[in-house]
Amino acid sequence: MSPFLVFGVIIAYFALLLVISYFTSRKADNNTFFTANKQSPWFLVAFGMVGATLSGVTFISVPGEVGNTNWTYLQFVMGNMVGYAVIALVLIPLFYRLKLVSIYEYLRDRFGQNSYLSGASFFLISQTIGASFRLFLAALVLQLAFFDSFGIPFYVTVLTTISLIWLYTFRGGIKTIVWTDTLQTTFLLLAVVVSIIMIIDHLDLNISQVFTVVTESEMSTIFEWDWRSGQNFFKTFLAGIFITIAMNGLDQNIMQKNLTISNTADAQKNILWFSITFFIATVLFLALGVLLYQYALAQGIGIPARTDELYPMLALNHFGMLAGIVFLLGIIAAAFSSADSALTSLTTSFCVDILNIKKHEVKNQNRTRMLVHIGFTILMFCVIIIFNSLNDSSVVSAVFKVAGFTYGPLLGLFAFGLLSKRPVYDKYVPLVVILSPIISVILDYNSAAWFNGYIFGFEILIVNAAITCLGLYLLKGKQPVKEV
């Protein structure tokens, strides 16, 4: 693709986002930024959340990862479906009943101030790392498609992309995100469909032949029963449940969008319909992965050493101009639908949970929010640059591996709070939530030697949460538990 064509596509796309931002941020205040004034249509949020959840990680890494682990990722997504049901039926009613802006305020009411700050801090760490990893993928593609042609260094690419995100989110916040996510989800799904159509055309297949190619491929194997494997069904399925609860239900990034809906019933409908759409979209991505490898084999194209690069390489260099443009729109949409909401949720959590912004005067509230928003923009830029210098594995594995250690304490805190009425000595909770991921890392590193070849997969999150729950159980307090 011509670098100037790529540049034109990027400019047109962001111009559209800025137009949406203009209309959604008029007369915006902190309430608009944090909660969208509780006026978001549930079906709009549901559709937009598909793009935010799939993100650039799924868009690029999942199709490429099919060559390494087949369709075993679908076992994880099956667990996701159960997790979303738990969110809809348990967490959504709780958060609406408590009228929360930040979901971590629940921890203050249940345990105390130290637990509250611990939970919010772990979210801030987890979300900063996860969002930076996802945005890294988008910057990598833009570097390949445009910036390399002019000898522009990678850090300039990252600075440009993250500055554009800040530009269209700094006023409207979550209200703008709800609407831009709808646009971005449309481009993301359109990119997958167009890519599949292009492959079908190049390989001269009809619909029934495509179905046969995908279903009969060895790469379409879904279930793995070897208990020692990191892709074992039971480990992956359970991890899918608990990672969904932790990374969606206990994540301010995702739940902030749900909490912009006016009532509990509509928020539950949003989650259930979103989960169905998400499952179908994932199947499309996995089918695309099989077709990408079939196409490369038929055309005699070498598979890149890093499977993350397979889809971008084929879409930008082999599928034709239309597919290249749509792919570029898709990857930008996928990454930015995740990163923009992450930046907004990080700003919200830090302002509400750490700074307690509600105590400030209105004028100071706006100024404080703006400074925090800028601060997290700079922080994400730094994390992406560091990750670029260290990354040597599939990003999809890296993101969830990191999340297994940082979201574990959050899952443990909420699980113990909801399932137990036992009082906790709040003063020492920070020690528990710091030690549990450290112990989990040690177990993960030595599992093969200590447990007869057993290798932890995504289920390390469950172990991490269990250690947190055990630590909380040992910290029995004297004060009675308040009803929340």
Side-chain angles (χ1 to χ4, degrees), residues 92-298:
I92 289 290
L94 173 69
F95 295 153
Y96 269 80
R97 178 166 53 84
L98 297 178
K99 300 179 180 178
L100 304 181
V101 174
S102 167
I103 62 174
Y104 308 111
E105 293 174 287
Y106 163 79
L107 298 176
R108 177 193 58 208
D109 297 337
R110 171 62 177 85
F111 297 118
Q113 187 69 15
N114 288 314
S115 301
Y116 170 41
L117 293 176
S118 298
S121 298
F122 265 84
F123 162 74
L124 293 171
I125 294 169
S126 305
Q127 192 62 221
T128 300
I129 294 172
S132 299
F133 282 4
R134 295 180 182 101
L135 192 56
F136 164 78
L137 280 175
L140 201 62
V141 172
L142 293 176
Q143 184 72 26
L144 218 67
F146 175 73
F147 290 91
D148 271 346
S149 302
F150 297 94
I152 297 173
F154 183 72
Y155 75 87
V156 175
T157 307
V158 176
L159 186 61
T160 302
T161 53
I162 203 165
S163 297
L164 287 169
I165 290 176
W166 181 87
L167 194 60
Y168 73 82
T169 60
F170 81 100
R171 289 187 64 191
I174 196 65
K175 182 178 180 181
T176 298
I177 298 303
V178 167
W179 287 92
T180 56
D181 274 1
T182 303
L183 175 72
Q184 291 165 333
T185 297
T186 301
F187 280 127
L188 185 151
L189 296 179
L190 183 64
V192 177
V193 171
V194 169
S195 296
I196 290 175
I197 291 172
M198 290 296 177
I199 294 173
I200 291 172
D201 181 61
H202 279 81
L203 297 182
D204 196 24
L205 301 172
N206 58 41
I207 298 299
S208 62
Q209 289 172 324
V210 171
F211 183 80
T212 301
V213 167
V214 172
T215 55
E216 293 185 357
S217 171
E218 291 183 0
M219 288 186 286
S220 296
T221 302
I222 297 174
F223 298 104
E224 171 62 67
W225 303 109
D226 183 356
W227 69 274
R228 292 170 296 185
S229 169
Q231 281 76 47
N232 172 266
F233 171 76
F234 296 104
K235 293 193 293 183
T236 309
F237 180 77
L238 287 173
I241 296 173
F242 289 101
I243 281 183
T244 297
I245 296 171
M247 295 184 66
N248 290 271
L250 306 181
D251 186 306
Q252 179 67 20
N253 181 13
I254 299 296
M255 294 311 294
Q256 188 171 356
K257 296 173 187 177
N258 286 280
L259 295 176
T260 66
I261 299 170
S262 61
N263 61 78
T264 304
D266 282 350
Q268 290 176 309
K269 282 191 290 187
N270 158 59
I271 288 291
L272 294 175
W273 279 106
F274 151 72
S275 65
I276 294 169
T277 309
F278 171 72
F279 186 88
I280 295 170
T282 303
V283 171
L284 272 178
F285 275 100
L286 292 169
L288 173 62
V290 174
L291 292 173
L292 289 173
Y293 281 95
Q294 291 292 334
Y295 176 85
L297 179 64

Side-chain angles (χ1 to χ4, degrees), residues 53-75:
T53 304
L54 289 172
S55 77
V57 174
T58 304
F59 190 81
I60 291 181
S61 289
V62 167
E65 190 68 14
V66 166
N68 300 323
T69 58
N70 304 325
W71 274 37
T72 55
Y73 183 69
L74 197 61
Q75 301 173 126

Side-chain angles (χ1 to χ4, degrees), residues 20 48 197 357 456:
I20 294 173
I197 291 172
I357 197 172
F456 282 112

Side-chain angles (χ1 to χ4, degrees), residues 323-335:
I325 291 173
V326 176
F327 168 81
L328 190 61
L329 286 170
I331 182 57
I332 295 172

